[in-house]
Amino acid sequence: RTETKRIKSFCMNAPLQELSFSTESLIQDQSNSMQLFDLRTYGDFVDHYAVKVKSISFDGLEHSTKGIKRPIVAVFDSGLTGCLLIRPFWDFVQKYYTDNTTDTRDFRSVSIAVKEVGGAVCNIKSSFEDDQ
């Protein structure tokens, strides 16, 4: 007989190539969690693990998301590595940096700031130099 369990949370440990499932929350302090953002209202047909981004930085130069009509979100996907930007936002980034004599092909890092439920800001960074 097969027993079906409702999974409440999961944890990936990429270096150890482990995936753990739990019927309980794995987050001890819920204030450190992030409010998920439903992309289906924008036409997505899959329920992604997405959160609203407060700001995004390329090589340390920060862009606030205030005043941007459509929200910028970060999608946490175990099968995705990298940073994907929609064309209108990438065009904006290229124009901004080109106007400031920076070649966007030379970007070495991207980081995002995401607000946690408790109000703190979590910074997530990826770069060619770091193994963070």
Side-chain angles (χ1 to χ4, degrees):
R1 174 176 170 213
T2 303
E3 181 181 345
T4 303
K5 292 186 178 189
R6 294 192 51 88
I7 304 300
K8 187 168 186 175
S9 55
F10 64 92
C11 177
M12 292 181 293
N13 184 329
L16 294 179
Q17 297 182 343
E18 292 179 348
L19 175 63
S20 304
F21 296 98
S22 176
T23 57
E24 300 298 323
S25 176
L26 294 173
I27 300 173
Q28 300 300 316
D29 182 356
Q30 293 298 313
S31 66
N32 292 332
S33 64
M34 298 172 195
Q35 182 67 45
L36 293 179
F37 187 81
D38 191 354
L39 296 174
R40 292 174 295 180
T41 59
Y42 291 93
D44 194 356
F45 58 91
V46 177
D47 191 10
H48 283 105
Y49 295 102
V51 294
K52 281 177 109 173
V53 171
K54 277 181 56 87
S55 66
I56 185 168
S57 303
F58 299 94
D59 288 346
L61 297 173
E62 182 179 333
H63 298 280
S64 171
T65 59
K66 283 186 177 180
I68 295 178
K69 183 170 41 171
R70 198 169 179 177
I72 295 177
V73 299
V75 175
F76 298 98
D77 185 339
S78 62
L80 175 68
T81 303
C83 179
L84 302 174
L85 304 174
I86 62 171
R87 174 57 62 187
F89 184 67
W90 179 243
D91 292 343
F92 164 78
V93 169
Q94 284 190 304
K95 180 175 180 355
Y96 176 84
Y97 282 98
T98 301
D99 289 350
N100 290 291
T101 65
T102 300
D103 189 343
T104 55
R105 292 176 296 179
D106 294 333
F107 284 154
R108 304 297 295 164
S109 69
V110 62
S111 62
I112 59 170
V114 178
K115 187 175 177 183
E116 295 176 348
V117 170
V121 174
C122 176
N123 293 298
I124 302 168
K125 178 182 178 187
S126 179
S127 76
F128 287 111
E129 290 85 22
D130 295 340
D131 58 354
Q132 301 176 19

